Amino acid sequence: MSKNVKGLSRLLKVLEKIPKELDADVDAVLEANAQDIELEAKRFAPVDTGKLRQSIKATKISDKTYKIAANETGLAPYAPFVEYGTRFQRAQPFLFPAFFKGRTQFTDDLEDLLEDTFNGI
């Protein structure tokens, strides 16, 4: 017994394209969100000389992996003390709040991308 499925060849062609197109789209979402987290961290960072804000950078370190860090430029070696505090200075977190805010946005953006990709099939 056999069945003919209408549109099967079209579906198979679409499914073959998805990994390539989706991969590029996921890269774009990752990059955009890494840049957003960098901007938020700069916004949350306390300002004295401005060197801390200048030192915050989002960097692509490998495929699908970004790093957002302070003192990448060497301008602000005191960045960890600001983020975590010391026994003499209260913490003024800027990276973690930016990450947590960005994580939520990233999840929403990725869900939207997947919905858009698979609703067109």
Side-chain angles (χ1 to χ4, degrees):
M1 176 184 224
S2 67
K3 294 274 185 182
N4 282 342
V5 178
K6 242 182 173 179
L8 182 60
S9 61
R10 181 175 168 266
L11 174 63
L12 291 173
K13 286 179 185 177
V14 169
L15 290 174
E16 286 174 7
K17 289 182 188 177
I18 285 176
K20 295 172 193 160
E21 292 174 4
L22 189 58
D23 192 52
D25 291 341
V26 168
D27 271 340
V29 168
L30 279 166
E31 182 177 4
N33 281 273
Q35 296 299 322
D36 288 346
I37 292 170
E38 175 187 321
L39 290 173
E40 283 298 304
K42 286 179 177 183
R43 190 175 70 78
F44 289 141
V47 178
D48 184 14
T49 64
K51 289 182 180 182
L52 179 59
R53 282 189 179 173
Q54 291 173 13
S55 78
I56 299 169
K57 302 287 180 215
T59 308
K60 184 173 187 170
I61 56 174
S62 67
D63 190 37
K64 309 277 184 302
T65 306
Y66 282 80
K67 172 175 76 171
I68 298 98
N71 195 36
E72 287 299 290
T73 60
L75 286 173
Y78 52 86
F81 304 120
V82 176
E83 179 77 17
Y84 301 110
T86 68
R87 66 182 182 163
F88 302 110
Q89 171 187 319
R90 68 176 178 79
Q92 295 176 287
F94 55 96
L95 284 174
F96 277 111
F99 168 75
F100 289 122
K101 184 176 181 182
R103 179 178 64 175
T104 302
Q105 185 62 50
F106 171 70
T107 303
D108 292 345
D109 291 349
L110 201 55
E111 284 176 1
D112 290 345
L113 171 64
L114 293 173
E115 279 181 22
D116 291 346
T117 301
F118 291 105
N119 280 340
I121 295 177

